[in-house]
Amino acid sequence: MEGIGNTMQKKAAELERMAEVLITGEQLRLRLHEEKVIKDRRHHLRTYPNCFVAKELIDWLIDHKEASDRETAIKLMQKLLDQSIIHHVCDEHKEFKDVKLFYRFRKDDGTFPLDNEAKVFMRGQRLFEKLMNTENSLVQTREEESVLFERTLLGCEFVDWLIQEGEASTREEAEQLCRRLLEHGIIQHVSNKHHFVDGNLLYQFRMNFRRRRRLLELLSERCRSIPESHDSPFCLRKQNTDSGNTSFLSVSPTKEIKIISAVRRSSMSSSCGSSGYYSSSPILSSSPPVLCNPKSVLKRHVNSEQLQSPGGPYMKRTFTIVGDAVGWGFVVRGSKPCHIQAVDPSGPAAAAGMKVCQFVVSVNGLNVLHLDYRTVSNLILTGPRTIVMEVMEEIDC
């Protein structure tokens, strides 16, 4: 089938926007639970479980730079209220007000409306997490029509995996599941030319469910056109997509060693859409996502012997990073040794002090100086939520 059709593309884009609201709302919910903004509260001798005070939440959004002012914060929360992500505890107010009213996430009281679209989305995220959290060779860089694509799934192998994991009992059932995932904008053919078939065509997850989202993306149509990197869960938004600049946002360190607490990574099957489980959604495009890595941030190549040379211009630093709901927030590139290519300013790695140009020495006690970035990334992905990383940093960097 040449192209999946304008109607299907439009539907997929609409469902994807809905999914982004779910993801963004869920990430916010987890953060608010973590910071005790959501808690049981009493009013007129009655206890309201798992709720937050609207006025206090607006203060929190501004303090955490999720909103520039109170008016913007109200618009953000109104978006979540309109999409049935949150509601007034007694359902007496259809507007989000900057006063001392109690609101609650519907996920916290079991009133979240699970329509067919939401169920497909939640299943898609669960499958994504399952794939990312297990060691397998399903997701690979592959070639189709002389073009390389990253993080691809071979249709027939994906069907095999779904049956093996008990997600479907027959190939026909697995194929139908994949077709629903494609129609709902969760997966796509790599060049958007075909529907899902149980064969040798290549497919990708369109969404990186682990990417840390910003609440302001809910109000920005422009953000929705920002494509995601294929390096889940180390996915960052590019600094300027209009100018063709491929550099990523990065930050400077604050302390030598810092332990960061964060929310346990989860899937939408246990909790609904970072900062929690969500970001701006990519638009279904007719142009294929070609394999393309950003230019290295290193000024010159450094080998392992130079890094470890006594009296050399490098110092060792150690970071303990606790991954949050969307990962750890950095990109590894290079080989023998790998280096930090990018750091998400709002992620756990940045808070621990990680910055670009540092060379990765070890991960959880394992020396990785002679490994490439794909192996190191897989080591992190398949390991525990808490990672201890040793890096070498140029003293004058």
Side-chain angles (χ1 to χ4, degrees), residues 11-54:
K11 178 183 178 182
E14 291 174 352
L15 292 170
E16 199 166 14
R17 284 194 291 271
M18 176 205 73
E20 288 300 332
V21 176
L22 294 178
I23 293 176
T24 306
E26 178 62 8
Q27 292 182 347
L28 176 62
R29 185 182 75 89
L30 292 182
R31 291 176 69 193
L32 296 178
H33 272 289
E34 179 75 9
E35 300 198 20
K36 309 301 183 185
V37 178
I38 293 177
K39 57 186 178 182
D40 295 351
R41 300 174 186 271
R42 288 185 63 83
H43 182 67
H44 289 171
L45 302 179
R46 178 179 175 182
T47 298
Y48 296 87
N50 294 321
C51 62
F52 59 87
V53 179

Side-chain angles (χ1 to χ4, degrees), residues 65-283:
K65 304 187 186 311
E66 291 289 353
S68 56
D69 51 54
R70 306 191 78 81
E71 181 181 357
T72 301
I74 292 172
K75 289 180 180 178
L76 289 169
M77 298 311 298
Q78 185 64 46
K79 182 83 171 180
L80 296 182
L81 193 150
D82 291 341
Q83 297 296 319
S84 296
I85 306 298
I86 64 172
H87 68 123
H88 177 252
V89 291
C90 298
D91 290 318
E92 294 176 354
H93 300 276
K94 300 302 181 185
E95 295 181 354
F96 191 85
K97 300 179 179 180
D98 186 5
V99 294
K100 292 184 177 180
L101 288 175
F102 291 171
Y103 291 83
R104 183 186 292 127
F105 281 81
R106 290 188 178 275
K107 287 288 292 184
D108 285 330
D109 62 12
T111 62
F112 182 75
L114 285 176
D115 56 18
N116 289 333
E117 283 74 16
K119 288 178 180 178
V120 173
F121 167 77
M122 292 167 68
R123 189 170 189 185
Q125 182 173 22
R126 180 166 58 81
L127 293 174
F128 176 89
E129 292 288 346
K130 208 171 184 181
L131 274 170
M132 294 300 108
N133 289 331
T134 57
E135 290 190 53
N136 59 65
S137 58
L138 286 179
V139 182
Q140 295 183 20
T141 297
R142 296 182 175 92
E143 181 178 317
E144 185 171 295
E145 296 182 357
S146 301
V147 179
L148 280 176
F149 299 93
E150 278 195 321
R151 307 192 74 82
T152 66
L153 294 161
L154 195 63
C156 58
E157 291 184 357
F158 192 30
V159 168
D160 291 338
W161 181 82
L162 290 170
I163 296 173
Q164 176 185 326
E165 294 295 318
E167 298 290 344
S169 56
T170 65
R171 302 194 72 83
E172 291 75 17
E173 183 182 341
E175 184 177 36
Q176 286 302 312
L177 169 58
C178 293
R179 294 176 73 87
R180 288 199 300 275
L181 294 177
L182 188 145
E183 291 165 4
H184 284 73
I186 295 170
I187 64 173
Q188 69 174 27
H189 176 248
V190 289
S191 56
N192 195 32
K193 292 181 178 179
H194 303 278
H195 210 312
F196 187 89
V197 292
D198 180 7
N200 293 323
L201 294 176
L202 300 182
Y203 299 88
Q204 294 169 317
F205 275 86
R206 291 179 58 196
M207 301 177 65
N208 177 2
F209 291 95
R210 292 177 171 182
R211 185 174 78 81
R212 181 182 298 274
R213 271 70 167 172
R214 301 286 297 179
L215 271 177
L216 286 173
E217 294 176 12
L218 294 177
L219 302 180
S220 174
E221 292 295 327
R222 182 176 177 274
C223 284
R224 290 179 182 145
S225 65
I226 299 176
E228 296 186 8
S229 162
H230 298 288
D231 294 302
S232 169
F234 314 114
C235 188
L236 302 177
R237 286 168 289 127
K238 290 187 178 181
Q239 210 165 19
N240 189 336
T241 56
D242 295 331
S243 64
N245 184 359
T246 58
S247 62
F248 288 80
L249 301 173
S250 61
V251 296
S252 298
T254 54
K255 293 185 178 180
E256 185 70 18
I257 300 177
K258 188 176 180 181
I259 298 179
I260 305 301
S261 296
V263 187
R264 180 70 177 172
R265 290 196 312 280
S266 180
S267 69
M268 288 295 292
S269 61
S270 61
S271 46
C272 180
S274 294
S275 313
Y277 309 173
Y278 326 68
S279 90
S280 66
S281 53
I283 295 299

